Amino acid sequence: MSAPSSRPAGLLGRVFQYIDLHQDEFVQTLREWVAVESDSIQPVPRLREELFTMMSLAAEELRRLGANVDVVDSGSQKLPDGQTLPILPVILAELGNDPKKATVCFYGHLDVQPARQEDGWLTDPYTLTEVDGKLYGRGATDNKGPVLAWINAVSTFQALEEDLPVNLKFIMEGMEEAGSLALEELVRREKNRFFSSVDYIVISDNLWISRRKPALICGMRGNSYFTVEVKCRDQGFHSGTFGGILNEPMADLIALLGGLVDASGRILVPAIYDHVAPLTEEEKKGYEAIDLDLEEYRNSSQVKRFLFDTKEEILMHLWRYPSLSIHGIEGAFDEPGAKTVIPGRVTGKFSIRLVPHMNTSVVEKQVEQHLEYIFSKRNSSNQMSVSMALGLLPWTANITDNQYPAAKKAIKTVFGTEPDMIQDGSTIPIARIFQDIIQKSVLMLPLGAVDDGEHAQNEKINRWNYIEGSKLFAAFFLEVAQLHSDDLLTDPLSHTPERE
């Protein structure tokens, strides 16, 4: 990959120089943020307290920048066991309100997936550890690093005593990994207040498809997350006393999970592919244009082989076809040792990544009918129940929106290359929420490399990505400002209060 031959002149050059000189300070702040165990997945009071600590840290950082910060209460959630826990508040912050400037809103999340060193981490997941330019720690790339890179860009303009090129708004949450509870309601409520003056929305919560070449995201898959429970009774059985004389819940569950997807990765739920958008010739050419080294991708993923042999097949099955993944079994014995219990009740967890034009309610019905059919064939005396815990639709970007050319120019300035225009197989619910409710342009501008390992053991962000990403956001501010200025010259009435 090529890189800029020299540092830009003028203001941008001074911005880049400042970021380079202060990168150790930026890494130290990331270290402090990673140290907070802001796990939103495990619903326990201690971790909710950690999440509140994380939200307070972020709010104080924004206040230090001079932003007006509103920490909005989100209520509470009642768990299946009857326990009630607070939902994390959402941070709404504003910095600047010049009517002649564009207003850019940045979304980020401060919560993380669970992490324990005994699960295979080489270092303490909550102690940011640098090895060969890689910053290891839970949340380093998902999403604390990118959030701080945005803040680094803002603080650099202020440190240089330069006026920010754009007005900025921030929306930060602490429940994204748990499904962004209560966030949609807040967005609807704030549509005509907080979001009324927003021109553009930026999300940086994805990865590139390469280790070194940057990318822009054009679309994301949705997600339907299911649980299937098989129950004989609430308590377990001794296998020596009851083994061989009853329908064991675990055996039933294994049969159910095994009937969901075959060895080639094809989903076995009948009619599941009926609503998938047909493949066009133009789309096929787009996959051919993506710069993906399959060998490097396989090695960085630490996988012996993929299910498909060509770049085009790999990308299509990552982005434009649905996939089904089995995630775990609750209630099963999973500790070291030789325990001979027969679980009395077990719950399997799996999800289906959705693509245009799949419908969550249709998928839910198809899955329920398929599992009921498999279970009926076993003639089991146990009880089975299926539930869809999440139903999130896919998102498609409008790449003709003005901020996409602005992002391309900023990427070219910082990295010296045009970005790959890619899709993302994962799901970020807020993108679809913003697009449907606020009806404003949404840009996905990732910083992380393909091998960052979000959600996995040894998650990291490269120092290079973190620091160059801070420069990217600064350059993006200036490109959006120029774009907005050009628009005002073309149409002086385009940003008056009457037209907003």
Side-chain angles (χ1 to χ4, degrees), residues 292 294 297 306-319:
L292 176 65
L294 272 188
Y297 186 52
F306 291 120
L307 293 174
F308 307 97
D309 297 325
T310 69
K311 174 183 71 175
E312 291 77 15
E313 286 179 304
I314 292 287
L315 294 177
M316 284 192 286
H317 284 86
L318 279 175
W319 298 344

Side-chain angles (χ1 to χ4, degrees), residues 35 87 133 224 365 385 434 440:
I87 298 174
S224 288
K365 186 174 181 181
S385 60
F434 283 146
K440 298 291 176 73

Side-chain angles (χ1 to χ4, degrees), residues 161-381:
E161 298 183 346
E162 292 286 348
D163 191 29
L164 277 169
V166 293
N167 302 316
L168 292 171
K169 294 197 175 191
F170 303 81
I171 174 168
M172 297 185 187
E173 66 159 322
M175 298 293 290
E176 190 270 347
E177 302 291 2
S180 295
L181 303 178
L183 189 62
E184 181 174 349
E185 179 185 339
L186 180 141
V187 172
R188 290 185 185 278
R189 194 167 64 242
E190 295 289 339
K191 175 183 177 180
N192 296 317
R193 191 190 72 85
F194 181 80
F195 294 106
S196 62
S197 61
V198 170
D199 297 298
Y200 308 110
I201 296 170
V202 177
I203 300 172
S204 183
D205 193 18
N206 317 82
L207 301 178
W208 303 344
I209 196 69
S210 163
R211 286 183 175 182
R212 298 287 290 184
K213 188 177 181 183
L216 287 173
I217 308 296
C218 305
M220 302 189 73
R221 292 192 291 188
N223 191 14
S224 288
Y225 195 101
F226 291 90
T227 62
V228 52
E229 180 188 84
V230 180
K231 177 182 176 181
C232 179
R233 68 179 191 182
D234 288 328
Q235 66 192 86
F237 301 88
H238 190 296
S239 63
T241 306
F242 289 94
I245 64 170
L246 50 76
N247 296 116
E248 297 189 10
M250 183 70 89
D252 283 343
L253 181 61
I254 295 299
L256 291 166
L257 296 177
L260 290 171
V261 63
D262 68 15
S264 70
R266 185 167 181 83
I267 302 172
L268 299 176
V269 177
I272 196 78
Y273 292 95
D274 286 0
H275 293 95
V276 174
L279 178 65
T280 66
E281 285 301 315
E282 184 179 359
E283 185 185 349
K284 285 178 70 175
K285 291 177 182 177
Y287 296 120
E288 294 169 4
I290 298 294
D291 181 15
L292 176 65
D293 184 324
L294 272 188
E295 188 68 15
E296 177 189 288
Y297 186 52
R298 185 184 60 78
N299 289 336
S300 68
S301 304
Q302 298 180 355
V303 173
K304 186 175 182 180
R305 68 178 178 87
F306 291 120
L307 293 174
F308 307 97
D309 297 325
T310 69
K311 174 183 71 175
E312 291 77 15
E313 286 179 304
I314 292 287
L315 294 177
M316 284 192 286
H317 284 86
L318 279 175
W319 298 344
R320 65 106 53 228
Y321 290 126
S323 63
L324 190 150
S325 301
I326 297 170
H327 304 297
I329 296 176
E330 188 177 321
F333 174 61
D334 65 345
E335 301 293 334
K339 189 176 181 181
T340 57
V341 68
I342 298 172
R345 173 167 60 179
V346 285
T347 303
K349 300 178 181 182
F350 64 94
S351 67
I352 299 175
R353 294 288 176 174
L354 309 180
V355 298
H357 305 287
M358 297 174 76
N359 180 285
T360 53
S361 60
V362 172
V363 169
E364 179 180 21
K365 186 174 181 181
Q366 290 170 333
V367 168
E368 287 177 350
Q369 289 176 344
H370 181 57
L371 289 176
E372 286 167 359
Y373 173 78
I374 295 173
F375 192 68
S376 69
K377 290 295 185 181
R378 291 184 62 80
N379 196 29
S380 174
S381 60

